[in-house]
Structure formats: structure tokens, C-alpha cells
Amino acid sequence: MDIKKIKTFDWVYISALLVIVIAGVFMPKTGKLAMVDVAIDGIILWGIFVYLVLKIKKLKGGIRKNIYLYVVSLVLVLFSLWNTKNLVFDLVSGPKQIQLHDIGIENRQSYRGLIGLHYYLRGTDENGDRHIIEISGSDYNFMKGNTVDTMVLTYYENTDRLYELGEQYM
């Protein structure tokens, strides 16, 4: 692909996706803006799918010559649907309050390796179900110094993102 043949639309579209990716890096993982971070991930996936579809429409030769691109598009749309379903469920149902016992916190290296650590709160609810909820680095550091055995918190059930720590931390 010759760099001179890339159209203005392509530059603008790809630049917009990169701006969204950068915004996602700086978006808080918990709190009132937690769903914005999850939505950014969905926007990136759907943005790639739309770009691919726009490019396929311009190709000549029909389905037989471009079958692999159509299969990739189908896989990408299924992947996008699967990854954005929890966002939709959480936006519809809103955050839920839960009481957890046997509280533990942990940090893990990001699967990307470059972006940093992810922090999690672990606990068991009154039904005996285990929950692992993503928390922010500041929540992790605060909870590290202020441990409790039981806590009430508000979180998004499907994406497992913390919305708000309970009154014991306010």
C-alpha cells in the first residue's frame, strides 16, 4: 500500500480511533465514569468493524473473490456483539449494591503488558458466590491500609466494575 494513495477519510477515521484509544487509557476504571471506559472499548471494536465494512464495499469481485474478508467481518461483528453485551446490560440495569465478606485485594499485570496494573477486590456475598470486582489504583492503596472483613459497595454487575465504595470508606 502506497502511503500517497491513502485517502483523507482514512487518515481522519484512523486518527479518530487513535484519539479514542488514548482517551481510554486515561479514563478511570471505576466510579461514575466506569461505563465510559467500557464504552470506549466497544466503540473501538465497532469502529474497526465499520471501517472494514466500508473498505469491503469498495472492493471489486464480489463475495467469491473476497470471501476471507467477509468471514473476518462476520467474526469481528460477533466478537463486538459479545464484548459489548455486558455494557448494554449494565447501562439498562444500573449499578447494584452488594455486601461482601472475606474481603481481599490483589493487583495483576495487564494482559497487554504495557498499560500497567489492574486492581481487584475479591469477596463472597451472602449466597456464597465469589465476586471479583475491578477497582482503581487509589481504591487499592486506600483499602490496603484500611482492611475490613465485610463491606457494602455499589458495582456494575455484568462488567464487574466498582461504582462506589460503601459507607465504611466514606
Side-chain angles (χ1 to χ4, degrees):
M1 177 183 287
D2 188 15
I3 199 90
K4 293 179 183 177
K5 292 184 181 181
I6 297 176
K7 299 195 179 294
T8 304
F9 170 79
D10 296 330
W11 283 111
V12 170
Y13 198 92
I14 292 168
S15 298
L17 279 178
L18 286 175
V19 167
I20 292 170
V21 167
I22 292 169
V25 169
F26 294 106
M27 196 58 54
K29 305 293 181 215
T30 62
K32 293 178 177 31
L33 294 177
M35 289 297 96
V36 176
D37 180 59
V38 177
I40 284 175
D41 296 342
I43 289 169
I44 293 167
L45 285 173
W46 284 103
I48 293 169
F49 169 70
V50 168
Y51 185 77
L52 185 61
V53 167
L54 292 174
K55 289 300 169 186
I56 289 174
K57 284 178 70 176
K58 292 181 180 181
L59 294 176
K60 296 178 180 156
I63 291 179
R64 287 188 181 196
K65 285 192 174 183
N66 300 310
I67 190 70
Y68 295 115
L69 291 175
Y70 285 99
V71 170
V72 167
S73 295
L74 178 64
V75 169
L76 189 57
V77 76
L78 292 174
F79 183 72
S80 299
L81 283 170
W82 181 258
N83 281 305
T84 55
K85 70 176 173 31
N86 289 336
L87 168 68
V88 174
F89 292 150
D90 278 344
L91 289 176
V92 170
S93 66
K96 298 193 185 234
Q97 198 170 53
I98 188 171
Q99 182 173 5
L100 296 178
H101 310 281
D102 303 324
I103 303 298
I105 54 175
E106 65 182 62
N107 59 4
R108 298 181 202 157
Q109 182 70 33
S110 171
Y111 67 90
R112 296 178 195 131
L114 300 173
I115 306 288
L117 296 172
H118 285 256
Y119 303 95
Y120 298 95
L121 169 97
R122 288 178 286 113
T124 307
D125 67 10
E126 54 273 354
N127 298 327
D129 296 329
R130 298 275 302 151
H131 294 271
I132 300 174
I133 300 168
E134 188 165 1
I135 60 175
S136 68
S138 59
D139 291 333
Y140 174 83
N141 290 329
F142 182 77
M143 292 172 70
K144 198 172 171 182
N146 301 297
T147 59
V148 294
D149 292 330
T150 301
M151 75 169 16
V152 176
L153 56 92
T154 307
Y155 80 115
Y156 291 102
E157 183 177 26
N158 297 293
T159 54
D160 290 321
R161 298 284 183 111
L162 179 68
Y163 180 76
E164 186 175 58
L165 285 174
E167 294 177 5
Q168 65 274 25
Y169 285 115
M170 295 297 157

